C-alpha cells in the first residue's frame, strides 16, 4: 500500500489515493488515514465506489458508529441500515421525495452550515459520506476550516470566547428555516446539548472553533447577544479563504473531522436524484469533558 496525498485546499483538504477502502484495511493504513486527517481535516478519496457494508466495515476502524435519529420516529421506515444516514431525496419506495415529505423538509436543514451531531451530548468525531448518485449540476458540499478560522481571530475575541459554552439543538437550527414539525416526545428526547465554543483538537493539538447552526444559546449570556456573537463567528469562519467546495463524482468518499470543521450542502434540482450515504463515528466524550 502506498498512500499519496495531494492538496485540494491549501489549509485543510487532502485528496488521498493509493488505498482501496472496499478491501479490509490493516492498522497501519488506519493510522496513516487518521494522521492525514489530523493534518487536513477533510480527506477526499476518489473512485472508491463503496457499498454500505464496505463503508460500515471501514468506518468501524475509526470508532463507535452513530445510529440515525430518524429511526426514533414511530412508524418511520428506514431505507438503509440504521447506522447509515440516508442523505438523499429518495423515499422508501425508491421514488423521489414529494415536495412536502417530512424527511425532505428535515434534510433541507443540511443546507445550513453545521457540524454533525453537535446537538448530541457526545457529538460526532468523523463523518464519511459516499456519493452513489449525483445530480448533473449543484449539490456540492462545502467545508469550512474552523482551526484556521480560530487562528485568524483577533486576540481580544479569542480571550472573550475562550471559556464559553454554547447550547446546540437540532430543533433550533431547523426552526431558523421554519421547520418545527416535532412531537412533544421528540422535543423531550432532543434537549439542547452543551458544547465548548473553543476546543483543543486532540490529534493536532491546535485550537479550533466549534460552531454549527445548531448553536442557539451561550451559557450566561442574554439570548440576543449570544445569537449575534454566534452569527459573527459563523460569518467569520465561512469567509472564502476558509472554505472548500467539493464537486462530487459518483464513487467519491469524503471523510471529515467534525471536531474542527463545518459543512453544508448546496442547492440542486430536486427532480434529479442525489443519493449520498453517511456513516458517522461518535466521539468518546462531550466537548466539555475534553481538555480546554
Ligand atoms: Fe451534515
Amino acid at each position: 500500500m502506498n498512500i499519496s496525498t495531494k492538496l485540494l485546499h491549501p489549509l485543510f483538504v487532502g485528496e488521498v489515493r493509493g488505498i482501496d477502502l472496499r478491501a479490509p484495511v490493516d492498522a497501519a493504513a488506519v493510522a496513516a488515514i487518521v494522521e492525514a486527517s489530523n493534518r487536513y481535516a477533510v480527506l477526499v478519496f476518489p473512485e472508491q465506489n463503496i457499498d454500505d457494508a464496505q463503508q460500515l466495515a471501514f468506518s468501524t476502524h475509526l470508532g463507535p458508529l452513530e445510529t440515525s435519529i430518524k429511526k426514533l420516529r414511530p412508524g418511520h421506515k428506514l431505507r438503509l441500515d440504521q447506522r447509515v444516514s440516508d442523505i438523499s431525496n429518495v423515499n422508501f419506495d425508491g421514488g423521489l421525495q414529494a415536495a412536502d415529505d417530512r424527511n425532505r423538509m428535515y434534510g433541507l436543514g443540511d443546507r445550513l452550515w453545521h457540524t454533525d451531531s453537535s446537538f448530541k451530548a457526545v457529538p460526532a468525531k468523523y463523518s464519511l459520506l459516499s456519493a452513489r448518485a449525483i445530480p448533473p449540476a449543484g449539490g456540492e458540499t462545502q467545508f469550512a476550516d474552523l482551526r484556521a478560522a480560530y487562528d485568524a481571530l483577533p486576540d481580544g475575541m479569542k480571550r472573550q470566547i475562550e471559556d464559553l459554552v454554547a447550547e446546540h439543538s437540532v430543533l433550533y437550527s431547523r426552526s431558523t428555516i421554519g421547520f418545527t414539525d416535532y412531537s412533544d416526545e421528540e422535543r423531550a428526547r432532543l434537549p439542547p446539548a452543551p458544547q465548548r465554543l473553543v476546543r483543543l483538537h486532540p490529534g493536532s493539538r491546535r485550537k479550533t472553533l466549534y460552531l454549527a447552526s445548531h448553536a442557539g444559546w451561550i451559557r450566561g449570556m442574554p439570548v440576543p447577544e449570544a445569537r449575534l456573537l454566534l452569527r459573527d463567528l459563523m460569518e467569520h469562519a465561512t469567509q472564502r479563504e476558509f472554505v472548500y467546495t467539493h464537486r462530487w463524482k459518483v464513487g467519491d468518499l469524503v471523510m471529515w473531522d467534525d471536531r474542527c470543521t463545518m459543512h453544508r450542502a448546496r442547492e440542486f434540482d430536486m427532480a434529479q436524484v442525489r443519493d449520498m450515504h453517511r456513516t458517522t463515528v461518535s466521539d468518546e466524550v462531550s466537548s466539555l469533558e475534553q481538555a480546554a
Side-chain angles (χ1 to χ4, degrees):
M1 182 190 61
N2 188 13
I3 292 181
S4 66
T5 315
K6 176 178 102 180
L7 278 180
L8 296 180
H9 184 284
L11 292 173
F12 75 122
V13 184
E15 180 186 277
V16 184
R17 293 193 182 263
I19 184 163
D20 183 354
L21 300 178
R22 295 168 301 182
V25 290
D26 61 16
V30 173
I33 289 167
V34 168
E35 192 187 300
S37 171
N38 284 334
R39 184 152 18 120
Y40 297 113
V42 178
L43 298 178
V44 175
F45 299 84
E47 297 167 23
Q48 292 290 335
N49 296 302
I50 204 164
D51 67 22
D52 285 359
Q54 293 159 341
Q55 187 170 336
L56 282 165
F58 171 66
S59 305
T60 304
H61 287 293
L62 301 166
L65 301 188
E66 290 191 355
T67 53
S68 171
I69 60 170
K70 287 182 198 161
K71 80 174 166 56
L72 298 168
R73 185 160 245 237
H76 179 75
K77 291 189 288 183
L78 290 175
R79 193 168 68 98
L80 309 174
D81 183 293
Q82 67 178 35
R83 296 167 299 165
V84 180
S85 291
D86 183 358
I87 317 286
S88 78
N89 57 345
V90 177
N91 63 31
F92 185 77
D93 301 315
L96 284 171
Q97 289 169 339
D100 62 349
D101 186 312
R102 184 179 185 275
N103 285 328
R104 182 172 110 80
M105 296 292 121
Y106 182 85
L108 287 172
D110 291 338
R111 302 252 189 100
L112 302 172
W113 283 109
H114 67 284
T115 184
D116 291 332
S117 302
S118 67
F119 53 85
K120 295 182 183 173
V122 177
K125 185 179 195 177
Y126 300 117
S127 297
L128 299 95
L129 187 61
S130 61
R132 312 301 173 88
I134 55 167
E140 302 91 347
T141 302
Q142 292 186 304
F143 296 91
D145 181 352
L146 296 183
R147 291 181 296 191
Y150 176 82
D151 290 344
L153 286 172
D155 287 344
M157 179 58 81
K158 286 180 183 168
R159 278 193 296 275
Q160 185 191 332
I161 65 175
E162 175 71 24
D163 296 315
L164 295 181
V165 174
E167 306 249 355
H168 293 235
S169 161
V170 69
L171 305 178
Y172 170 70
S173 58
R174 264 56 183 174
S175 77
T176 65
I177 52 169
F179 181 87
T180 54
D181 176 15
Y182 288 97
S183 65
D184 289 345
E185 194 267 331
E186 283 171 314
R187 287 173 194 282
R189 204 177 53 229
L190 293 165
Q195 306 289 358
R196 281 183 192 282
L197 196 50
V198 177
R199 301 178 71 172
L200 184 70
H201 179 255
S204 61
R205 309 303 291 169
R206 287 177 65 189
K207 280 195 177 176
T208 182
L209 287 167
Y210 190 55
L211 286 171
S213 301
H214 306 311
W217 304 267
I218 293 175
R219 286 187 173 174
M221 195 180 280
V223 173
E225 194 181 349
R227 291 198 178 159
L228 286 169
L229 175 58
L230 290 163
R231 271 191 204 198
D232 281 349
L233 291 170
M234 299 280 284
E235 204 174 296
H236 166 78
T238 54
Q239 293 175 89
R240 182 177 297 233
E241 64 264 39
F242 305 130
V243 171
Y244 164 73
T245 300
H246 189 65
R247 294 180 173 81
W248 292 93
K249 292 194 177 72
V250 170
D252 284 354
L253 182 142
V254 178
M255 164 181 164
W256 64 89
D257 189 324
D258 282 293
R259 299 165 298 182
C260 59
T261 58
M262 281 196 294
H263 59 278
R264 66 172 177 178
R266 301 300 281 156
E267 169 285 320
F268 64 99
D269 176 1
M270 286 284 186
Q272 306 288 336
V273 173
R274 183 177 187 265
D275 188 9
M276 320 284 288
H277 293 200
R278 191 187 85 203
T279 41
T280 316
V281 178
S282 179
D283 210 343
E284 289 94 24
V285 291
S286 149
S287 62
L288 298 189
E289 294 166 62
Q290 282 177 336

